[in-house]
Amino acid sequence: METHRGFIVLVDISGYTSFISSHNKKSNDNEKLSTGQAHAEHIISDLLEKVIDQLDSVLKINKLQGDAALFYGIADDNEELSEKILNKLQSSFDVFNQRLNEIKFCEACSCGTCADIGNLKLKSFVHFGDFLIKKINQFKEIAGQDVILAHRLMKNRISVSEYMLFTKPFSDIKNLDSLGFVEDRKENYNDIGQVECKVFYPDENLYKIESSAKKSWFKTMYSMFKYFYNSKSKKDIELKYNLKSS
């Protein structure tokens, strides 16, 4: 096993649960796929391939994981590679959305899944840390706590489906000002703790939705706190109405 320090990148297609479920349901089985499942498999594979083609020149693809792809990168000059990763990620989102527009004719299909391809979105998760490269037969696989962390970040509290998430170790290497507005966030995990990260929303309207959802959550929490602040009990009612305790 080889120990390295470098970049860990995940790209993930999301946005419409039943479409993704149709793709995942039998994509790894030998059973014959239904028309909808076959179309979902084709579309997801087509979109993933376009994204992988963009990133392949700067990162090494390690494996496909359902509707996601895992990459890693090792360099003598981390600042230079981080710049290339950022540029390629931006072009990956552009290529992904361009390809979606190119295959919009699929929405005319009556299979039940093609009509929803417009809801598919791309997310990326970028981290810098330590990992092992293990050789399993003729394949190589990366592993370690930082790889686990990168995967944990896929389960977060962000309510929208299209964004780029960068951990602090990455943003410490590469300044993200060139992206424009970037949101500072903290995600909490029971087994890892608090993770500082920055999130860029390619579509500024999605940030407005996320910001609104966050405000709504705080408003709900405040209302709940206020509601439960002065606790009530059946004993209070008995005292108020001079009732006999049961």
Side-chain angles (χ1 to χ4, degrees), residues 176-228:
L176 302 176
D177 287 349
S178 61
L179 292 175
F181 176 76
V182 176
E183 177 192 26
D184 290 311
R185 292 184 71 97
K186 292 179 181 178
E187 295 291 335
N188 295 289
Y189 301 92
N190 292 332
D191 53 343
I192 294 175
Q194 190 175 85
V195 181
E196 292 183 49
C197 51
K198 294 180 181 291
V199 180
F200 171 66
Y201 302 90
D203 181 349
E204 62 179 22
N205 291 320
L206 291 179
Y207 171 70
K208 292 175 183 177
I209 294 172
E210 171 63 17
S211 179
S212 176
K214 191 186 296 185
K215 289 177 182 176
S216 177
W217 183 86
F218 281 117
K219 185 177 179 180
T220 299
M221 291 299 105
Y222 173 75
S223 298
M224 189 168 66
F225 172 79
K226 187 177 178 181
Y227 175 73
F228 287 116

Side-chain angles (χ1 to χ4, degrees), residues 112-169:
T113 55
C114 287
D116 297 302
I117 62 171
N119 294 308
L120 296 176
K121 299 293 182 183
L122 185 66
K123 299 183 287 191
S124 65
F125 306 84
V126 187
H127 180 49
F128 181 82
D130 300 313
F131 52 86
L132 298 170
I133 298 181
K134 303 187 297 182
K135 190 168 184 179
I136 304 173
N137 296 324
Q138 71 269 36
F139 302 105
K140 289 184 177 181
E141 185 172 318
I142 63 171
Q145 286 300 312
D146 282 300
V147 178
I148 293 172
L149 186 152
H151 283 84
R152 285 283 193 280
L153 288 168
M154 297 174 76
K155 302 293 184 182
N156 54 54
R157 294 178 291 113
I158 301 174
S159 63
V160 298
S161 300
E162 184 182 60
Y163 55 84
M164 300 178 193
L165 184 150
F166 306 91
T167 62
K168 188 175 186 298

Side-chain angles (χ1 to χ4, degrees), residues 15-245:
Y16 190 69
T17 304
S18 64
F19 188 100
I20 301 301
S21 298
S22 295
H23 167 236
N24 286 336
K25 191 173 181 182
K26 295 184 180 179
S27 62
N28 294 320
D29 298 341
N30 292 321
E31 297 179 46
K32 183 176 175 60
L33 300 177
S34 70
T35 300
Q37 289 163 349
H39 287 182
E41 168 76 6
H42 181 95
I43 291 167
I44 292 292
S45 299
D46 180 25
L47 292 169
L48 262 183
E49 184 179 25
K50 292 292 184 291
V51 173
I52 292 169
D53 285 346
Q54 284 295 305
L55 295 172
D56 191 49
S57 62
V58 296
L59 293 167
K60 177 74 173 176
I61 183 165
N62 187 234
K63 64 163 68 170
L64 298 181
Q65 301 173 319
D67 308 301
L70 172 65
F71 301 81
Y72 67 90
I74 304 166
D76 294 327
D77 188 336
N78 288 325
E79 190 171 343
E80 181 183 358
L81 181 54
S82 67
E83 174 76 24
K84 291 179 179 178
I85 291 172
L86 190 62
N87 290 337
K88 283 295 184 179
L89 277 176
Q90 288 179 275
S91 62
S92 295
F93 276 70
D94 291 339
V95 166
F96 178 89
N97 290 315
Q98 179 183 335
R99 186 58 177 163
L100 270 183
N101 286 328
E102 290 172 352
I103 60 174
K104 282 186 78 69
F105 55 80
C106 293
E107 293 177 345
C109 178
S110 59
C111 73
T113 55
C114 287
D116 297 302
I117 62 171
N119 294 308
L120 296 176
K121 299 293 182 183
L122 185 66
K123 299 183 287 191
S124 65
F125 306 84
V126 187
H127 180 49
F128 181 82
D130 300 313
F131 52 86
L132 298 170
I133 298 181
K134 303 187 297 182
K135 190 168 184 179
I136 304 173
N137 296 324
Q138 71 269 36
F139 302 105
K140 289 184 177 181
E141 185 172 318
I142 63 171
Q145 286 300 312
D146 282 300
V147 178
I148 293 172
L149 186 152
H151 283 84
R152 285 283 193 280
L153 288 168
M154 297 174 76
K155 302 293 184 182
N156 54 54
R157 294 178 291 113
I158 301 174
S159 63
V160 298
S161 300
E162 184 182 60
Y163 55 84
M164 300 178 193
L165 184 150
F166 306 91
T167 62
K168 188 175 186 298
F170 179 86
S171 61
D172 283 345
I173 296 171
K174 173 58 185 168
N175 186 294
L176 302 176
D177 287 349
S178 61
L179 292 175
F181 176 76
V182 176
E183 177 192 26
D184 290 311
R185 292 184 71 97
K186 292 179 181 178
E187 295 291 335
N188 295 289
Y189 301 92
N190 292 332
D191 53 343
I192 294 175
Q194 190 175 85
V195 181
E196 292 183 49
C197 51
K198 294 180 181 291
V199 180
F200 171 66
Y201 302 90
D203 181 349
E204 62 179 22
N205 291 320
L206 291 179
Y207 171 70
K208 292 175 183 177
I209 294 172
E210 171 63 17
S211 179
S212 176
K214 191 186 296 185
K215 289 177 182 176
S216 177
W217 183 86
F218 281 117
K219 185 177 179 180
T220 299
M221 291 299 105
Y222 173 75
S223 298
M224 189 168 66
F225 172 79
K226 187 177 178 181
Y227 175 73
F228 287 116
Y229 184 75
N230 293 312
S231 61
K232 293 183 179 181
S233 67
K234 285 187 287 184
K235 183 70 175 177
D236 295 326
I237 298 174
E238 290 169 346
L239 291 172
K240 180 177 180 179
Y241 295 100
N242 195 26
L243 300 175
K244 183 179 179 181
S245 299

Side-chain angles (χ1 to χ4, degrees), residues 1-18:
M1 290 189 292
E2 309 165 28
T3 303
H4 295 278
R5 187 162 181 77
F7 299 92
I8 303 163
V9 178
L10 281 151
V11 291
D12 179 42
I13 297 175
S14 64
Y16 190 69
T17 304
S18 64

